[in-house]
Amino acid sequence: MTFSISGLSESILSAVREQGYNEPTPIQAQAIPAILAGQDVIAEAQTGSGKTAAFLLPVLEQLSKGETQKAKRIRALVLAPTRELALQVNDACRVYSQNLELTSMAMFGGVDAEEQKQGLIDGVDVLIATPGRLLDMIYQKAIRFDELDVLILDEADRMLDMGFISDIRKILERLPEQCQSLLFSATMSDGVQQLAQTLTSDAVSFSVADDPSARPRIEQWLVTVDKDQKSALLSHLITDLQWQQALIFIRTKHGAAKLADQLAKRGIQAEAIHGDRSQAVRTQLLDDFRSGKLSFLIATGVAARGIDIDLLERVVNYDLPDDSEDYIHRIGRTGRAGASGQAISLLSKDDFKRLCAIESRLGHLLERREVEGFIPRKAVPVSILNYVPKHKREGNEAGTSGDDRNKGKRRSSGGSGAGKSNAGGRRHTGDKHGSGQKRANRRSDQDRSKGTDRKPAVNSGNKTNNSDPWAAWNDKKDRKLDRS
DNA sequence: AAAAAAT
């Protein structure tokens, strides 16, 4: 079968086929005709579902049919949450438009603005931007949108999570009202839905979130280990299992740099990518990792979402993310485009609470393994999915909040158990409470989408149902930055 | 006890 969708011209299709894509993904099959028909689109599409092509292909098709091939005005605007994603969308755009007379440009902070201004003067049909620099350009009157045909919000949920909502609103004020609007988001939170409502009219909605064929095939397991043994275990896994490549996630910038050093000392070439590194270095590292020149990349949240690396074999969670949604995104870096992938998490005691949130979110337990020589001194409990605190034991479903369940009695929750007797070093734990858990998840999903949270929706409704535990800390840090 | 994004 060859890639073919009615309405796309041969010059675009041949560029797509050249990339080795054979069949449109479900989101592409649904969204492309709608976009070609000029409709607004709201799409709930997970990473790896092919959503970039789902909006780029029809948009390029429309633009290529326009009269002014070299318009000095922007005709399509893509807003993306991170610089890396903007770059990547631009790269894809260049590939798909290789047979067309269209120009595209990525625009974001951290690099010289003059070059971007010159690009605008030379003429850009498709602009892919992060909100901050774009707003800057708008204020400098370096950019106009009078001829904008279509606006695309990519990873809308992520943009809200990152606090871009007011920037986005300010940008929207400068756009012509009648332009076609497309919104893509991995999740449909209240905030995203609100945004979608103000943005779109008469929109067609798609969701491929629950389509198993769109779900990447990812083998997930975790290794229990003492915290101070993690880097030793990681280098052991890398050498022992002869890993060729891995994207390693870690929560802190400092931790990323430290781990890169530790691996280097063991003769493993690894680099750290995070927000404190210059944009030039970040771009270079990602390029090297993509091309295979760099085998092991250690990343903070910069690379957690959206970043697309062809045939990435595996993702390692050196520690678990605070937001269980980020776990989904992290592992979504592997197993893309129908390929298989591995997602391995290193679990020490202080990751346990985060694991509970993640397993609740997944609705099932992750497979536990132990590696000889790295068995933790105190085994990690099997899972809190199976653990209900005393005061909630009768007639209570396992809660989904994960907030208050660990206080106090954690140590008594069968900690000695976790499979020390597994000769094979692996064990798939039973899921007695699986169905109840799923029910609980569904309930919380409904709560979220209907806005009937037990708590009043004060947290601008952009994330999961608990408020941001970092708010106070961030306030303090911001004040400190203002003073200096 | 954090990361990301404008300068």
Side-chain angles (χ1 to χ4, degrees):
Chain A
M1 188 145 172
T2 56
F3 197 101
S4 162
I5 285 183
S6 66
L8 292 180
S9 59
E10 193 50 37
S11 45
I12 290 181
L13 288 174
S14 64
V16 174
R17 293 194 195 110
E18 210 175 284
Q19 298 304 302
Y21 297 126
N22 296 320
E23 230 177 304
T25 66
I27 186 70
Q28 289 162 2
Q30 290 181 295
I32 290 175
I35 297 171
L36 285 173
Q39 287 179 285
D40 284 359
V41 166
I42 301 168
E44 181 176 7
Q46 289 177 328
T47 56
S49 59
K51 67 181 158 66
T52 306
F55 63 77
L56 279 181
L57 301 183
V59 164
L60 290 172
E61 176 71 34
Q62 300 286 62
L63 294 187
S64 71
K65 282 192 289 206
E67 308 135 32
T68 48
Q69 289 255 313
K70 264 271 178 185
K72 297 285 177 194
R73 297 279 158 84
I74 289 147
R75 291 189 288 156
L77 170 65
V78 182
L79 287 181
T82 67
R83 300 166 181 178
E84 275 75 14
L85 185 59
L87 267 176
Q88 184 180 291
V89 172
N90 188 36
D91 288 343
C93 190
R94 297 232 159 122
V95 167
Y96 298 141
S97 65
Q98 58 184 295
N99 304 321
L100 307 171
E101 297 284 317
L102 294 172
T103 52
S104 67
M105 183 171 85
M107 174 186 272
F108 45 75
V111 292
D112 184 33
E114 289 310 311
E115 210 174 301
Q116 295 173 354
K117 281 185 191 166
Q118 189 55 49
L120 290 174
I121 293 168
D122 294 343
V124 169
D125 297 287
V126 184
L127 181 69
I128 300 113
T130 51
R133 176 60 66 88
L134 178 64
L135 211 49
D136 193 17
M137 290 292 200
I138 289 174
Y139 289 150
Q140 292 187 39
K141 300 203 193 305
I143 197 167
R144 297 180 64 93
F145 289 112
D146 349 37
E147 291 188 30
L148 190 74
D149 292 328
V150 52
L151 165 73
I152 301 111
L153 286 195
D154 199 5
E155 308 240 345
D157 51 346
R158 175 81 164 136
M159 289 206 272
L160 294 189
D161 286 352
M162 287 168 66
F164 279 148
I165 186 62
S166 67
D167 281 357
I168 290 173
R169 290 249 157 78
K170 285 175 200 147
I171 292 167
L172 293 184
E173 283 170 17
R174 312 294 177 119
L175 306 183
E177 270 201 11
Q178 73 287 356
C179 79
Q180 186 181 10
S181 302
L182 318 174
L183 180 143
F184 289 79
S185 188
T187 56
M188 282 292 160
S189 60
D190 287 350
V192 174
Q193 285 177 352
Q194 266 173 32
L195 180 61
Q197 265 191 0
T198 61
L199 193 69
T200 61
S201 55
D202 259 345
V204 206
S205 297
F206 300 117
S207 174
V208 294
D210 288 323
D211 185 345
S213 65
R215 204 151 38 216
R217 295 195 308 259
I218 303 170
E219 181 199 349
Q220 301 173 57
W221 43 277
L222 60 83
V223 190
T224 54
V225 64
D226 279 325
K227 190 183 173 189
D228 55 5
Q229 290 281 86
K230 275 190 176 181
S231 72
L233 170 62
L234 179 58
S235 33
H236 176 263
L237 288 173
I238 288 172
T239 47
D240 202 48
L241 301 177
Q242 298 183 341
W243 287 352
Q244 295 306 305
Q245 198 186 33
L247 178 56
I248 299 151
F249 282 109
I250 189 163
R251 281 181 311 132
T252 68
K253 294 187 273 201
H254 174 243
K258 202 171 99 186
L259 178 57
D261 281 351
Q262 286 169 324
L263 289 184
K265 276 193 194 123
R266 294 168 194 272
I268 295 161
Q269 169 221 22
E271 293 278 359
I273 184 170
H274 53 70
D276 278 355
R277 307 210 71 173
S278 75
Q279 190 52 46
V281 170
R282 277 159 61 171
T283 308
Q284 185 64 50
L285 288 176
L286 222 45
D287 281 351
D288 288 350
F289 191 62
R290 275 206 184 93
S291 71
K293 215 166 107 188
L294 175 64
S295 297
F296 300 100
L297 185 62
I298 302 158
T300 59
V302 250
R305 297 188 185 212
I307 301 307
D308 197 356
I309 292 146
D310 271 353
L311 301 178
L312 176 61
E313 290 175 7
R314 71 185 54 75
V315 162
V316 174
N317 291 305
Y318 191 81
D319 50 27
L320 291 176
D322 281 322
D323 185 343
S324 54
E325 217 54 49
D326 278 337
Y327 175 84
I328 313 277
H329 288 288
R330 282 182 176 190
I331 70 169
R333 299 312 98 214
T334 186
R336 294 173 79 84
S340 61
Q342 286 185 325
I344 297 129
S345 301
L346 307 193
L347 187 86
S348 69
K349 215 178 109 210
D350 40 333
D351 293 302
F352 190 64
K353 199 168 173 183
R354 294 187 276 266
L355 176 70
C356 298
I358 289 163
E359 291 186 326
S360 294
R361 167 65 182 76
L362 293 172
H364 63 85
L365 301 179
L366 294 174
E367 181 188 333
R368 268 79 168 154
R369 298 187 186 179
E370 282 176 348
V371 174
E372 217 173 307
F374 293 92
I375 313 287
R377 286 186 291 271
K378 266 198 172 173
V380 184
V382 170
S383 172
I384 221 158
L385 273 187
N386 295 329
Y387 170 67
V388 181
K390 219 175 206 167
H391 64 281
K392 288 197 173 181
R393 255 170 225 181
E394 286 299 82
N396 248 324
E397 270 181 334
T400 52
S401 73
D403 285 330
D404 52 350
R405 282 177 291 150
N406 302 3
K407 300 242 165 80
K409 301 213 76 175
R410 190 190 324 182
R411 206 141 304 175
S412 66
S413 65
S416 62
K420 257 189 190 142
S421 56
N422 293 336
R426 60 165 73 187
R427 160 181 185 150
H428 196 103
T429 40
D431 183 11
K432 275 187 240 168
H433 299 253
S435 58
Q437 195 57 49
K438 270 180 206 139
R439 221 179 309 129
N441 282 342
R442 233 184 336 258
R443 188 198 56 208
S444 81
D445 281 342
Q446 277 168 7
D447 285 350
R448 242 176 299 172
S449 64
K450 282 185 192 160
T452 54
D453 265 353
R454 289 159 301 284
K455 288 179 209 155
V458 283
N459 58 347
S460 69
N462 51 9
K463 275 175 81 167
T464 43
N465 41 5
N466 45 14
S467 61
D468 180 8
W470 295 103
W473 193 91
N474 282 334
D475 274 3
K476 207 166 132 195
K477 192 174 97 186
D478 289 348
R479 255 180 276 129
K480 210 156 111 192
L481 281 175
D482 284 347
R483 259 181 271 129
S484 61

